[in-house]
């Protein structure tokens, strides 16, 4: 793609990066076939290629974002299926991230939307506030029917529609909190390694059992696990809202905390059980590449970050005592298969540990969770969820496995089939409790 940035513009490292990304695009259109919003809506501007044109126009002419640009960028899930499909290696992720930052800085949204986004950015990264919010949402659920019905055909979902979506996502009950930062879990038997386990934000409130399963499995196989005391939200939630100042501040705080822990006791890896978080942590090196003080440390942390399936795959787990006849539909989270390019490891681990693993048709398409997307774009998210659940149902599973809490909540909202984390099944197969029994 031809670009016409001025030399003055190219002096900005972000514009120089955007120029490199744009020039890699050859207009082939392969991305349209795997873009969930284009598949659903059929609008070229709701495809990666269409959004690339909009972003190019905005950046090249240094124009403030228009309502039309914002509408189509907001509809992007950042599922990154386009990057898996693209034969030219266009890094759409870094381009759309830059567009979101520009929108957040230069576009004035309606007041109600500004308040909602600010609330999400404030509450979701803070587990104590998120827990309180989930309790309030559960109490407010019966009132959802009193909210006005949304206008049909509206370009942007109304505030009442978004509030209904938030209330619908609230669980009926919350589990007890898991272990907190500063906890250390010694290896059983001969010590083989030491890792930091990301505590997460929403996950530690909604499903602390996931990290508990990871701790059991890792310590059972000789890995010491530490929950780092001063760790914060990874920054993914605010990063995808275009609030880069907040996201980068959290990244710097985490880098400092993890490197301090590595100095104290050594770290072989930073293990992540939420693939959306892992994708962003692995990108810290890029996000802070221009930061004189943090560029090097950020690159070190990105190199240490491992999805739980990556790390467990290297432990050479012993063969299970018996095989299970349970059919597991494996849902490959977008952040794992497209963001981190991890596609086979989780399925192979499940299969080797005795489960019957089935691929889900249209597995490349997003379930509609995508961080806060199922709140901010609930109509599209619901359509994607229903499509995903229909595809899952076609393989007649006993359980559904996924590697990302957002996907798990989204899918569970539309099916009675139990949805569990991959690590819970692996923990069960190697001596832990059956998922749902603890």
């Amino acid at each position: 793609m031809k670009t016409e940035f001025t030399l003055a513009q190219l002096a900005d490292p972000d514009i120089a990066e955007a120029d490199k990304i744009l020039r890699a695009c050859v207009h082939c259109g392969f991305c349209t076939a795997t873009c969930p919003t284009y598949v659903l809506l059929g609008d070229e501007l709701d495809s990666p290629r269409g959004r690339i044109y909009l972003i190019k126009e905005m950046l090249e002419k240094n124009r403030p974002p228009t309502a039309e640009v914002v509408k189509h960028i907001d509809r992007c899930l950042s599922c990154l299926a386009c990057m898996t499909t693209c034969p030219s290696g266009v890094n759409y992720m870094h381009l759309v991230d830059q567009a979101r930052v520009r929108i957040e800085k230069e576009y004035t949204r309606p007041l109600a939307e500004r308040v909602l986004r600010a609330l999400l950015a404030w509450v979701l990264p803070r587990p104590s506030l998120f827990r309180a919010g989930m309790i309030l949402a559960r109490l407010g659920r019966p009132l959802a029917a009193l909210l006005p019905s949304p206008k049909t055909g509206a370009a942007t979902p109304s505030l009442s529609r978004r509030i209904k979506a938030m209330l619908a996502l609230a669980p009926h009950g919350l589990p007890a909190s898991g272990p907190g930062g500063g906890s250390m879990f010694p290896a059983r038997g001969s010590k083989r390694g030491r890792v930091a386990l990301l505590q997460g934000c929403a996950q530690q409130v909604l499903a602390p059992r996931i990290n508990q399963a990871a701790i059991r499995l890792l310590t059972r196989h000789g890995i010491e696990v530490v929950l780092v005391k001063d760790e914060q939200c990874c920054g993914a939630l605010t990063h995808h809202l275009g609030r880069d100042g907040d996201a980068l501040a959290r990244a710097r705080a985490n880098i400092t905390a993890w490197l301090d822990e590595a100095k104290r006791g050594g770290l072989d890896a930073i293990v992540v059980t939420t693939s959306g978080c892992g994708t962003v942590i692995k990108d810290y090196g890029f996000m802070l590449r221009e930061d004189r003080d943090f560029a090097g440390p950020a690159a070190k942390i990105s190199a240490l970050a491992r999805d739980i399936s990556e790390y467990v795959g290297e432990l050479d787990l012993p063969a299970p005592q018996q095989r299970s006849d349970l059919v597991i539909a494996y849902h490959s989270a977008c952040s794992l298969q497209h963001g981190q390019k991890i596609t086979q490891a989780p399925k192979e681990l499940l299969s080797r540990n005795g489960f019957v693993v089935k691929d889900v048709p249209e597995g490349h398409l997003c379930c509609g969770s995508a961080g806060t997307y199922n709140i901010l774009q609930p109509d599209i998210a619901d359509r994607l969820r229903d499509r995903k659940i229909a595809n899952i149902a076609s393989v007649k599973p006993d359980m559904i496995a996924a590697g990302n809490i957002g996907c798990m909540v989204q899918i569970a909202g539309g099916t009675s089939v139990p949805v569990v984390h991959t690590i819970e099944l692996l923990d069960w197969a190697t001596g832990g409790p059956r998922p749902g029994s603890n």
Side-chain angles (χ1 to χ4, degrees), residues 2-7 9-10 19 23 56 60-61:
K2 183 182 178 182
T3 60
E4 295 179 349
F5 291 107
T6 66
L7 290 176
Q9 286 176 304
L10 291 171
D19 180 66
R23 284 177 175 270
K56 174 182 180 293
E60 201 171 59
K61 297 185 178 178

Side-chain angles (χ1 to χ4, degrees), residues 381-397:
D382 284 357
R383 290 174 65 184
L384 289 170
R385 181 199 62 200
D386 294 346
R387 186 170 181 143
K388 179 65 67 176
I389 289 169
N391 280 317
I392 289 172
S394 72
V395 303
K396 298 180 172 58

Side-chain angles (χ1 to χ4, degrees), residues 370-381:
T372 58
Y373 192 92
N374 52 4
I375 295 172
L376 297 174
Q377 299 288 335
D379 299 320
I380 297 173

Side-chain angles (χ1 to χ4, degrees), residues 209-271:
R209 68 180 195 273
I210 295 171
N211 270 4
Q212 289 165 4
I215 291 166
R216 286 193 299 267
L217 184 145
L218 291 171
T219 55
R220 188 184 303 128
H221 293 88
I223 306 301
E224 183 176 291
V225 180
V226 60
L227 306 182
V228 178
K229 184 176 181 181
D230 296 322
E231 183 184 283
Q232 297 190 15
C233 167
C234 69
L237 289 164
T238 49
H239 178 61
H240 293 308
L241 287 170
R243 296 172 175 251
D244 242 25
D246 180 276
L248 293 178
R250 293 181 183 280
R252 293 184 186 101
N254 283 335
I255 290 164
T256 300
W258 288 329
L259 289 179
D260 285 349
E261 184 63 41
K263 289 175 185 175
R264 279 193 294 271
L267 287 178
D268 301 309
I270 298 163
V271 177

